Amino acid sequence: MDINFNKNEDHNKLKLSDLNRRLAKVKLGGGKSRIEKHHAKGKMTARERIDYLLDDDGQSIEIGAFAGENMYEEHGGCPSGGVVVKVGYVQGKQCVVVANDATVKAGAWFPITGKKNLRAQEISIENKLPIIYLVDSAGVYLPLQDEIFPDKEHFGRIFRNNAVMSSMGITQIAAVMGSCVAGGAYLPIMSDEALIVDKTGSIFLAGSYLVKAAIGESIDNETLGGATTHSEISGVTDYKAKDDKDALDKIKNIVDKIGDFDKAGFNRVEAKKPVENPDDIFGLLPASRSDQYDMLEIIKRLVDDSEFEQYKEGYGKTILTGYARIDGWAVGIVANQRKVVKTKKGEMQFGGVIYSDSADKATRFIANCNQKKIPLVFLQDVTGFMVGSKSEHGGIIKDGAKMVNAVSNSVVPKFTIVIGNSYGAGNYAMCGKAYDPRLIVAWPSAELAVMSGNSAAKVLLQIEKASLKKSGKSVDAEKEKELFDEIKQRYDDQISPYYAAARLWTDAIIDPLDTRKWISMGIEAANHAPIEKQFNMGVLQV
């Protein structure tokens, strides 16, 4: 191995170590002292409940672990958005599990909590997966109620989805394992079956203090809305459990009886490991996002038997397209080639840039995968579309529009892995979050923004200098460098994969070696939902 490989490996493994350190902190939720208080009440934490419920936590994927990171510091923070979401197996059946983390502000709903719950429901709806809610929440976080209460994608949308999902035949099971108050009380009761834990679970529209203030009635919370009340008097809940484990065991028994599902029919054979060593990824991926490398070598370390059948190999070389298998599943891969390539005409094309010919190739390949019912995997390391008079005169906008059209109208499931750069319209064409990938994840090396930190800082610096000049202030070289560094630092913070993950622009930041698992579980989930629409690109200039 050469010195660059070793330097890259050290750099990328340090990033992975940082990821693991951050994840360990996030998994503590509200902190060790709050976990101890939670245990003192005889309750399991959200993560302990999920671990107990799932057959094997190692065979699960976590959605939105970094949701809310550094977003609510003035309110004491909101680790993981105060809710844990995993896709895993219960009694051998793939399910979505959503658990309020009561160690974080008593499980109160912040704006990002609502967004994360809606994302969990979206995954359930798209893939027709059963969803299990483990409820333990004090309701809306009142200081931020205006950001979560009234809009279309706010709190109320969750209950609307409960109703729609039920009509779609998607199994919803809710266990009330702690507080369940006010509007939040509708979630478990709009599920198909509801359980409640004795003595710790409670459901009511208004607690005893509010009842006293509103109508003058004196009553304790247990009598008002405890397990006995709702299991024997109101009939609101269907099952009464003696403790957390009993409730989770009852859920396992219910899920165990669910019938088989109609399948989409995606092609799968016996899985094979890559022939090329996946660990090489850490040395192949450059430390600098501007350096070139061969994406084909990355692909060989992600796919079964390291076999990749290229489509139009000699044409449109800044995008690699072709067929492969991942964990046995047939996939179509669309990947940005990150090395400088030479065309048949002898012209040089920059790696990571989408040219007219590569956009045309990708469009045709996406259409082929839709015709053959093959899921699509996008590997993003893109700086954008080619600019300049030659590209404009050659119709780059039209060719780019074709590719965006194909991605938008694709009916097979799409999965996006942000490996490196994800800039500007390149993010869109390569199936960014706005284009409905079933799952979108980033490696620790990812950067998501309109443009790179350097480019953005230069543009913003010119604007800042012009503004200062208008007000009669001059900018010397030292001041200019200070301004540039300040702007770049601010922008670099925003292009970090953690900034994107905090806002759920991606579902997770993952170890590159877990990529195969994420794609495989994603396709398995998608196989629960037969394709009901035909691929149609509509009216398109050709």
Side-chain angles (χ1 to χ4, degrees), residues 376-398:
L376 285 159
V377 174
F378 292 83
L379 303 179
Q380 284 196 9
D381 195 344
V382 58
T383 52
F385 286 88
M386 191 58 190
V387 297
S389 61
K390 186 174 181 180
S391 291
E392 297 293 359
H393 296 171
I396 185 68
I397 295 175
K398 181 175 67 175

Side-chain angles (χ1 to χ4, degrees), residues 247-470:
L248 297 168
D249 285 337
K250 289 179 186 296
I251 292 173
K252 291 181 184 183
N253 288 333
I254 294 168
V255 173
D256 186 52
K257 310 301 186 297
I258 297 174
D260 202 2
F261 56 90
D262 295 333
K263 295 173 178 63
F266 301 123
N267 184 294
R268 192 181 198 185
V269 299
E270 186 178 348
K272 295 180 181 178
K273 293 181 178 179
V275 172
E276 302 291 343
N277 186 0
D279 279 321
D280 291 347
I281 287 171
F282 296 106
L284 292 167
L285 195 65
S288 170
R289 293 276 48 80
S290 59
D291 286 354
Q292 303 284 300
Y293 66 96
D294 189 353
M295 180 64 84
L296 185 58
E297 294 302 316
I298 301 291
I299 292 172
K300 287 178 182 178
R301 286 153 178 84
L302 294 176
V303 301
D304 289 16
D305 226 15
S306 297
E307 289 185 351
F308 181 55
E309 185 68 36
Q310 286 204 58
Y311 170 83
K312 289 185 179 289
E313 182 177 354
Y315 176 72
K317 293 182 180 180
T318 64
I319 287 184
L320 299 173
T321 53
Y323 302 105
R325 290 189 182 275
I326 292 178
D327 199 31
W329 294 103
V331 296
I333 294 176
V334 181
N336 301 112
Q337 176 57 287
R338 276 308 314 264
K339 68 176 185 178
V340 174
V341 298
K342 185 184 284 188
T343 69
K344 289 292 183 183
K345 297 177 182 177
E347 297 171 334
M348 303 305 291
Q349 293 185 340
F350 299 107
V353 179
I354 302 175
Y355 291 78
S356 284
D357 54 356
S358 48
D360 174 65
K361 175 171 92 170
T363 301
R364 291 170 181 268
F365 181 70
I366 290 166
N368 282 347
C369 287
N370 274 271
Q371 185 186 57
K372 296 180 177 70
K373 204 159 72 171
I374 300 173
L376 285 159
V377 174
F378 292 83
L379 303 179
Q380 284 196 9
D381 195 344
V382 58
T383 52
F385 286 88
M386 191 58 190
V387 297
S389 61
K390 186 174 181 180
S391 291
E392 297 293 359
H393 296 171
I396 185 68
I397 295 175
K398 181 175 67 175
D399 291 319
K402 290 179 190 176
M403 184 176 174
V404 170
N405 191 310
V407 172
S408 302
N409 286 298
S410 180
V411 296
V412 295
K414 299 167 291 193
F415 303 90
T416 301
I417 316 297
V418 186
I419 289 176
N421 303 329
S422 181
Y423 297 156
N427 168 282
Y428 301 160
M430 290 295 294
C431 197
K433 183 65 183 286
Y435 293 81
D436 299 322
R438 294 293 177 97
L439 294 169
I440 176 170
V441 298
W443 288 2
S445 47
E447 293 185 356
L448 291 85
V450 172
M451 60 182 75
S452 72
N454 263 328
S455 299
K458 287 174 184 175
V459 172
L460 293 168
L461 177 63
Q462 293 308 312
I463 295 170
E464 182 71 16
K465 283 170 65 179
S467 176
L468 289 168
K469 190 176 179 181
K470 271 187 181 180

